Amino acid sequence: MGIVTKDLGIVLRRLDYSETSQVLVVFCREGGLQRLIAKGIKRGTKSRVATGIDLLETGRVTFSRRPGSEAQLGTLTEWLQESRCDAARCGLVAWYAAQYAADRTSQMTEEADPHPDLFDALQQLLDELSTAPPLLALVHYLLHLLRETGLSPQLTQCAGCGGPITRRPIHFSARRGGLLCRDCEPAYVEKRQVDPAALPLLTGAAGAAGDAANVASAFDLLDYHLTESLGQPSRVGKALRDALSRPRR
Ligand SMILES: [Zn+2]
C-alpha cells in the first residue's frame, strides 16, 4: 500500500508515456520535485477533446508512492486544476521564459526536497508573466532560485581576492562563483566578460534601470552561471533566445 500525499503542485515537465498516460515532473509546495505517472488521463476520442494536464499548470495534487521509493515514479491519483499559466497567450518570450524557469527549477532542485518559498516565487512568476516584462520577471526568479540553492554569485566584489572591482573589463567565473578583478582574472580559464550595465539589476541596487538591453545582459550572465554550474544548458535556452531576437510588434 502506498502512502497518499496531498499537495499543491506546478507541472514542470510533461512526457507522453503511452496512449493513455503521462509522466509528469511536478514541483510540489511541501514535497519538492515529484515524478508521477498519471494513468488514463490523456484520453481523447473523436467526440471528446484530450484532457491531459498542461505544462506549467498549477493544481491540487494527490499521489501515492510506496515508502522508500523516491527514486521511482509515484502514482498521481487526483489533479484539481487551480490555475493555468497564461504566458502562452502573451507571446513567445513569456512562454519560453516560463518554460526556462521550469526547466532550471527541475535541474537545480532535488527530488522530494521541499522549497516552499521557491514554489511561491515560481507561482508568482507564472502569474506575472502576463503583465510584467517577461525577461525581467525571469531574472528576478532566477536570482531567487540561485539563493535557495546556495549558488548566488558574488557580484559586489572580487570572488577571487575579495577586493573591489574598479577596472574594466570585468570578468565572471561560475566555478569561482562571481566577479573577478583584473588582477585575479588571468588565473581563471572558465570565465566570461560581464556587461557592467547588468550589475545594478542583479545586485538589487536602488534605481537599477531595467531597460531591455540591461535585462538581456543580466539574463545572459545568469544563464551562463547556471549552465556552467550545472554542466548543461537549458533545453529551452535557445528557443528563448530566438524569441528574444525576433523584432517586436
Ligand atoms: Zn581579485
Side-chain angles (χ1 to χ4, degrees), residues 16 88 128-129 137 175 194 217:
D16 289 337
E128 278 177 3
L129 280 173
R175 209 158 300 165
V194 176
S217 292

Side-chain angles (χ1 to χ4, degrees), residues 41-64:
I41 56 157
K42 214 194 108 195
R43 203 175 309 113
T45 65
K46 279 180 185 141
S47 57
R48 242 180 77 185
V49 285
T51 53
I53 299 169
D54 279 334
L55 192 62
L56 298 169
E57 184 173 322
T58 303
R60 304 236 157 239
V61 58
T62 307
F63 61 92
S64 69

Side-chain angles (χ1 to χ4, degrees), residues 158 161 181 184:
C158 175
C161 67
C181 72
C184 292

Side-chain angles (χ1 to χ4, degrees), residues 158-165 179-185:
C158 175
C161 67
I165 304 283
L179 300 183
L180 297 172
C181 72
R182 289 288 303 272
D183 295 332
C184 292
E185 171 264 305

Side-chain angles (χ1 to χ4, degrees), residues 13-24 37-38 42 52-53:
R13 288 192 70 181
R14 203 183 61 150
L15 309 154
D16 289 337
Y17 184 75
S18 72
E19 285 289 303
T20 56
S21 302
Q22 291 176 319
V23 170
L24 304 173
I37 185 161
K42 214 194 108 195
I53 299 169

